[in-house]
Amino acid sequence: MARRICLFPGTFDPVTLGHTDVINRAKDLFDELIIGIGINSGKVPMFSVEQRVAWFQEIYKDDPKIKAAAYEGLTVNFCKEVGARYILRGIRYVSDFEYEKAIADMNRMLDHDVETFFLTASAEHATMASTLVRDVLKNGGDVSRFVPGAVAATFKKHFG
């Protein structure tokens, strides 16, 4: 039987409890879950890709089913590279679904062997977005209740 490898792509700038909620709820559905940190030349991230990979490595250091890696280019091409037949996407709002469905349809047209799964956000994490966390952080606010401990520790070290 083929291994069920899933890719959870995103920018994760920074990692939030919303991201880890989706990962933690989905990980038992697959044999391996790869968190793919996309490098998008059109976006200027607040945190380096190395930092984002390191956060996931720290958060999931005791879970061998979960790995993190950076990638550039088409998500379906990275799926082929890592042997993933599934893509996982988290959905917070109806508007997220419309946008994500368009991407899933395009990915399916590019590679019929890749299937996208959508997982809705838990109620307590539905309003969490990296953009909002960055805004609070940039304005000196405390984001520790919105991010995993490893991320909060980095913020404390760098932002006081």
Side-chain angles (χ1 to χ4, degrees):
M1 184 164 127
R3 287 179 39 84
R4 294 167 304 175
I5 301 172
C6 181
L7 176 67
F8 183 35
T11 51
F12 308 106
D13 184 39
V15 178
T16 69
L17 291 175
H19 296 132
T20 56
D21 172 63
V22 169
I23 292 165
N24 293 340
R25 291 172 40 232
K27 68 181 179 178
D28 291 335
L29 301 173
F30 304 100
D31 298 314
E32 183 177 333
L33 198 150
I34 300 167
I35 301 158
I37 299 159
I39 300 170
N40 182 340
S41 61
K43 289 185 178 180
V44 179
M46 186 173 189
F47 301 96
S48 72
V49 69
E50 294 83 9
Q51 176 63 75
R52 291 176 276 156
V53 168
W55 280 330
F56 280 118
Q57 289 172 336
E58 174 63 24
I59 294 163
Y60 292 104
K61 65 182 178 221
D62 296 324
D63 194 331
K65 287 178 65 169
I66 299 177
K67 296 179 175 67
Y71 74 97
E72 288 185 79
L74 294 174
T75 298
V76 291
N77 289 347
F78 189 60
C79 284
K80 284 180 188 167
E81 188 179 317
V82 298
R85 291 192 50 232
Y86 308 100
I87 294 173
L88 173 66
R89 298 300 295 157
I91 302 289
R92 291 176 300 209
Y93 306 109
V94 172
S95 59
D96 285 351
F97 177 74
E98 292 172 358
Y99 174 73
E100 293 293 346
K101 184 184 181 314
I103 294 171
D105 290 345
M106 181 61 73
N107 285 337
R108 186 100 170 108
M109 286 187 274
L110 292 169
D111 189 336
H112 287 2
D113 293 328
V114 176
E115 208 50 73
T116 299
F117 286 84
F118 300 108
L119 192 59
T120 58
S122 296
E124 65 269 25
H125 301 298
T127 59
M128 276 183 214
S130 292
T131 304
L132 298 175
V133 171
R134 283 194 310 270
D135 287 345
V136 172
L137 190 61
K138 286 176 188 174
N139 289 290
D142 178 13
V143 296
S144 59
R145 66 181 174 192
F146 307 119
V147 298
V151 179
T154 301
F155 292 169
K156 189 171 186 172
K157 195 180 335 177
H158 294 300
F159 297 99

